Amino acid sequence: MALPDSVQFLKGVGPRRGAMLEKAGLATFEDLLFHLPFRYEDRRRILTLREASPGGEATLAGKVTAVREHRRPGRRGSILHALFTDESGWAELLWFQQAAYFRDRLKGGPLWLVHGRVEAAPRGGLQIVHPEIEMLAANAAEPSGADVQRLASSMARILPVYQKPGEIPVAAMRRIVGQVTEKYASSALSAVPPAVRARVKLVAVCDALRYLHDPPVDADIDALNESATPAHRSLIFEELFALQVGMTLRKVERESQPGLRIERADDRLRAFFATLPFELTRAQKRVVHEIAADMARSQPMNRLVQGDVGSGKTVVAFAAALQAIAAGYQVAVMAPTELLAEQHFSTMRVWAEAEKIDIRLLTGSFKAAAAREVREAVASGHTDLVIGTHALIQESTGFARLGLAVIDEQHRFGVAQRQVIQTAALGADGRKGARADTLLLSATPIPRTLSLTLYGDIDVSVLDELPKGRLPIVTRVIRTTARPRLYQRMAAAMREGRQCYVVYPLVEESEAMDLADATSMAEQLQQGPFRDFRVGLLHGRMKAAEKDAVMRRFKAAELDVLVATTVIEVGIDVANATIMVIEHAERFGLAQMHQLRGRVGRGSRESFCCLVADVGQSVESFERLRVMESTGDGFAIAEADLKLRGPGEYLGTRQSGTPALRAANLVRDGELLAHARTEALSWLAHDPTLEKAESAELRRVLSARWEGLLDLAEVG
Ligand code: ADP
Ligand code: MG
């Protein structure tokens, strides 16, 4: 099968367009084949100008005359005007770009098929700006209206519209994809074995591709536009089926590796819980039990704990650590930022010391000698529990007997990093190569449809309950004009000793976007409304040590206001902070704002979250923010975010370790996903190692698409 060839060798694609295609993820013929149109244009009905209503798209047939080009005063390039007439009227065609190119093209006329948005011209009459044009006939000697219509209807069709990579025009994309479809659609492989195809009634992949790239004239255009044709359904099923098979194989592969049986230490855990000033929630108890049982199995654990901000993941993670340490193993806890690692360290140190556990911290800002000392204590086995950042894995930290790796805010780490820590070698008990258990923590609730896709190979525990007595955070969307009142309210809270956050989306002023940035706003707030208070600044460009110093001062209440970028998003815990202001809220995702909001409401006082949105923003984006007012449930917010913004934030190879989806849309295709999963599991029950002849294509699809993500050799 010759599909992976580079797109550069296609007609109409040179190095420049090749690079644009590649940048858009369309590097191979196969990528182009599966680059499906995102909508279709109906060019089957030719309208007359009298029928075409201003504001709507129309396909028209008629004569183009009186072409004239004129310079734009003081600007580069020129404007091209042309007069378009059909039997019912006239309209002006306008090109503000590529005037010379179209002037030459129009010399070929005079009869044209013209497609575009018909608008009322500023000085009366109709106009079409940047129409697409297709020559109907050259040098026709005054044909009758009927002739024109007859000619035009021979060209009637449904045209695919593609997402444009870079500057490549729509028409060129059509030609490029058209070539590939014509030559290679027949060699596209199917992931779904014949028996399953027949049962699910799938259209053959090559037929589906041809249908979608070049729909027949009688196709149902609404079904095409809603991705609801049998061809769509078939390709979506194909993709989800392969995904589920890949996920399941990966899980099987992992489970077939030797792991550690870490005996339960229920009494020790119970004694530890008894020392806490609170009782665990039911959800915490359930999840602790799930983890404990999983660790006690001889297969390596790979479990994700999903819990909303404040649901109490830290103590759950510590309980898991305690079980491993009680069984004589070491535990590593990895956090994405130094601040967070330090926070975990200071929380866990109290518990560890009471449990006679040797606990250490290791971050990137440690001096060489200090880092070496920690590494030695870890390597010698003296340290039971080490907490740190990437530094834990960057230089070879040798563990004497690593039994459990806890990864906090796991989505912040790349797949590769997660794998490094997961496979950190074990030596002490002579079982080199045995895999340590891993526990992933995430405060980003993932909608259920997505978690099946993202985590088909991971076991998930959900902390779906907040500790009792938490007051809900009062959330309000306000306009920028209401800022003065907001500042008064903040000042009042600060005079009572409370603290506030103000979060901005950018670090430095950007002329292009004219957004107030954290740095200059910190200054303005300090000079102006908060001149009686202490304003601090925290952003991503600061050195780790500077950030750290600022954060410490805020924690110690030496600062009243912390102006920050989203670096504070992850896990910062300052119970005395009760107001979170998010500026330019319209630029944030809901899930991200939910994380930010979770920085307040950590103490016993009522907390507020203010989302400041630009008045100029559209009504929709204002409505979107209202979701934040109406719910504090992270899962509900994640669902809403998924519907509004699509799954892009969660998907993508880097984050999830799965191939990107091309035909499927997880918001829309939940049902098909469940169906594909059922079929995938039953196929694997029938052919667990994909060695039967019917699985040959599936195997090839997987090894091409899951390259580096799945070790098929190991499975087979
Ligand atoms: P997150 O899940 O966001 O990481 P943390 O583990 O930081 O949450 O917990 C948030 C706060 O709630 C901490 O101060 C922690 O001590 C406290 N906490 C955890 N579990 C409970 C509980 N069952 N009852 C009361 N407070 C709890
Ligand atoms: Mg946490």
Side-chain angles (χ1 to χ4, degrees):
M1 217 252 326
L3 283 190
D5 286 34
S6 163
V7 294
Q8 280 211 24
F9 303 108
L10 286 168
K11 231 191 294 166
V13 183
R16 212 175 73 89
R17 282 187 175 170
M20 287 179 198
L21 288 169
E22 199 156 325
K23 198 159 159 232
L26 303 171
T28 66
F29 292 176
E30 202 215 340
D31 294 334
L32 281 171
L33 267 185
F34 286 90
H35 183 58
L36 301 181
F38 75 104
R39 72 182 180 89
Y40 292 85
E41 249 169 43
D42 197 345
R43 303 252 185 116
R44 290 174 300 184
R45 217 165 93 70
I46 315 288
L47 299 182
T48 61
L49 272 169
R50 188 158 356 102
E51 292 167 319
S53 46
E57 275 194 23
T59 307
L60 307 155
K63 236 161 73 169
V64 177
T65 51
V67 180
R68 87 201 135 75
E69 188 181 350
H70 72 77
R71 305 230 129 257
R72 292 210 257 178
R75 305 272 297 268
R76 290 212 297 148
S78 48
I79 306 179
L80 189 69
H81 299 256
L83 183 65
F84 172 83
T85 49
D86 67 9
E87 50 179 3
S88 74
W90 62 271
E92 188 173 31
L93 308 183
L94 282 166
W95 283 270
F96 296 100
Q97 285 152 21
Q98 292 184 284
Y101 166 81
F102 282 102
R103 183 196 58 215
D104 289 345
R105 239 187 106 185
L106 286 171
K107 283 181 187 150
L111 278 187
W112 294 87
L113 205 57
V114 168
H115 183 92
R117 182 177 297 280
V118 180
E119 299 165 337
R123 272 173 284 162
L126 295 174
Q127 68 177 27
I128 308 177
V129 177
H130 294 165
E132 284 188 51
I133 54 172
E134 258 178 294
M135 204 198 300
L136 271 181
N139 309 317
E142 289 302 318
S144 71
D147 286 340
V148 173
Q149 284 288 333
R150 190 170 37 72
L151 264 173
S153 68
S154 71
M155 298 179 74
R157 65 206 142 115
I158 297 175
L159 271 186
V161 184
Y162 298 94
Q163 217 85 53
K164 287 194 301 182
E167 311 275 283
I168 303 180
V170 179
M173 264 315 277
R174 263 181 215 132
R175 281 194 299 275
I176 293 167
V177 179
Q179 271 178 74
V180 177
T181 311
E182 198 177 304
K183 287 200 200 119
Y184 300 102
S186 57
S187 38
L189 292 176
S190 169
V192 185
V196 182
R197 305 189 64 77
R199 183 167 52 238
V200 187
K201 299 196 173 60
L202 298 185
V203 179
V205 178
C206 60
D207 295 337
L209 288 171
R210 287 197 190 106
Y211 187 91
L212 296 179
H213 288 303
D214 186 14
V217 183
D218 60 353
D220 176 349
I221 186 126
D222 294 329
L224 278 171
N225 276 325
E226 283 156 25
S227 302
T229 62
H232 279 108
R233 177 177 168 276
S234 301
L235 294 183
I236 293 165
F237 190 93
E238 282 275 342
E239 190 165 74
L240 296 174
F241 181 87
L243 182 75
Q244 291 302 326
V245 170
M247 291 279 190
T248 311
L249 287 179
R250 193 149 71 179
K251 184 168 184 184
V252 170
E253 176 191 321
R254 182 168 43 74
E255 299 214 315
S256 68
Q257 292 172 0
L260 301 170
R261 186 192 296 280
I262 300 178
E263 295 301 335
R264 297 189 63 147
D266 295 353
D267 291 343
R268 179 106 186 244
L269 261 55
R270 212 169 297 126
F272 162 64
F273 294 142
T275 67
L276 295 174
F278 49 77
E279 197 188 341
L280 294 193
T281 62
R282 273 201 314 275
Q284 281 172 316
K285 285 180 191 159
R286 187 187 69 239
V287 171
V288 165
H289 173 78
E290 284 167 2
I291 296 168
D294 205 355
M295 287 169 66
R297 296 192 316 146
S298 57
Q299 284 91 355
M301 173 172 81
N302 197 22
R303 182 169 288 275
L304 171 72
V305 175
Q306 268 194 49
D308 216 336
V309 259
S311 60
K313 292 182 290 295
T314 317
V315 69
V316 168
F318 187 79
L322 199 51
Q323 173 167 329
I325 292 163
Y329 290 103
Q330 289 174 303
V331 177
V333 175
M334 201 159 81
T337 64
E338 302 209 348
L339 283 172
L340 204 54
E342 284 168 19
Q343 193 171 286
H344 279 320
F345 181 70
S346 67
T347 306
M348 291 194 182
R349 178 154 65 173
V350 180
W351 297 333
E353 279 168 2
E355 294 287 329
K356 307 264 178 305
I357 287 171
D358 188 81
I359 182 173
R360 303 289 178 114
L361 176 70
L362 179 61
T363 69
S365 58
F366 271 45
K367 295 239 161 56
R372 194 171 337 110
E373 197 208 312
V374 177
R375 288 209 168 88
E376 277 165 14
V378 171
S380 70
H382 186 268
T383 287
D384 307 302
L385 176 55
V386 60
I387 297 181
T389 52
H390 299 69
L392 272 184
I393 54 166
Q394 263 162 9
E395 279 161 62
S396 56
T397 308
F399 288 89
R401 43 176 207 288
L402 183 68
L404 171 70
V406 178
I407 304 178
D408 195 16
E409 302 296 341
Q410 57 89 23
H411 60 282
R412 288 289 181 109
F413 292 95
V415 182
Q417 288 169 324
R418 294 203 298 256
Q419 267 160 8
V420 169
I421 194 146
Q422 281 174 13
T423 49
L426 287 160
D429 63 348
R431 298 186 56 184
K432 269 209 164 39
R435 219 165 170 180
D437 283 342
T438 45
L439 185 65
L440 311 170
L441 308 180
S442 171
T444 311
I446 308 280
R448 312 220 186 278
T449 40
L450 271 182
S451 79
L452 256 191
T453 310
L454 288 179
Y455 302 126
D457 60 337
I458 296 182
D459 298 301
V460 180
S461 291
V462 182
L463 281 176
D464 49 6
E465 185 186 352
L466 290 183
K468 276 194 287 291
R470 290 270 164 80
L471 291 168
I473 300 162
V474 178
T475 302
R476 289 287 170 264
V477 182
I478 65 165
R479 294 183 183 272
T480 46
T481 45
R483 231 188 243 127
R485 273 217 317 277
L486 170 64
Y487 289 159
Q488 278 166 20
R489 178 164 200 172
M490 291 166 73
M494 290 189 283
R495 268 192 293 274
E496 284 175 23
R498 305 287 85 75
Q499 290 162 281
C500 307
Y501 297 100
V502 183
V503 176
Y504 291 90
L506 281 187
V507 183
E508 272 162 23
E509 223 155 333
S510 147
E511 283 176 354
M513 283 191 278
D514 190 29
L515 293 178
D517 71 284
T519 311
S520 68
M521 278 314 294
E523 224 158 274
Q524 282 187 37
L525 290 175
Q526 179 71 85
Q527 312 286 316
F530 300 145
R531 73 185 82 76
D532 299 336
F533 301 99
R534 297 156 300 176
V535 179
L537 172 68
L538 188 72
H539 63 68
R541 300 266 176 86
M542 287 161 65
K543 293 213 178 66
E546 291 175 295
K547 275 194 253 182
D548 193 51
V550 172
M551 212 48 230
R552 273 178 219 289
R553 290 179 61 207
F554 190 65
K555 264 193 156 175
E558 291 164 21
L559 295 172
D560 304 298
V561 186
L562 187 60
V563 174
T565 59
T566 50
V567 287
I568 61 153
E569 184 188 340
V570 173
I572 294 305
D573 196 3
V574 179
N576 192 45
T578 56
I579 298 185
M580 164 65 67
V581 177
I582 302 177
E583 290 278 354
H584 293 285
E586 71 281 351
R587 315 206 97 241
F588 289 88
L590 297 180
Q592 197 182 14
M593 283 190 280
H594 181 63
Q595 288 286 311
L596 289 167
R597 178 166 64 179
R599 298 307 114 220
V600 296
R602 304 211 134 217
S604 53
R605 289 187 194 78
E606 183 171 54
S607 292
F608 300 90
C609 176
C610 260
L611 309 177
V612 186
D614 260 340
V615 186
Q617 288 301 312
S618 66
V619 178
E620 294 103 83
S621 66
F622 227 83
E623 284 312 305
R624 187 177 72 94
L625 297 176
R626 300 258 180 235
V627 175
M628 298 293 297
E629 286 183 346
S630 63
T631 181
D633 176 354
F635 280 97
I637 287 169
E639 291 281 356
D641 218 19
L642 179 65
K643 291 209 176 84
L644 290 163
R645 293 171 37 124
E649 304 227 328
Y650 303 99
L651 292 176
T653 310
R654 204 197 72 78
Q655 209 192 70
S656 64
T658 59
L661 294 173
R662 300 183 284 202
N665 168 341
L666 294 169
V667 183
R668 184 188 66 202
D669 302 326
E671 251 171 69
L672 264 183
L673 174 67
H675 190 179
R677 182 170 170 81
T678 313
E679 289 291 348
L681 294 180
S682 86
W683 184 256
L684 282 172
H686 164 73
D687 184 11
T689 52
L690 304 185
E691 59 197 4
K692 299 212 157 94
E694 307 99 283
S695 298
E697 280 197 18
L698 169 56
R699 213 171 214 291
R700 275 189 291 175
V701 169
L702 285 178
S703 55
R705 296 215 57 209
W706 286 65
E707 199 189 349
L709 300 173
L710 180 69
D711 194 348
L712 276 174
E714 215 168 294
V715 174

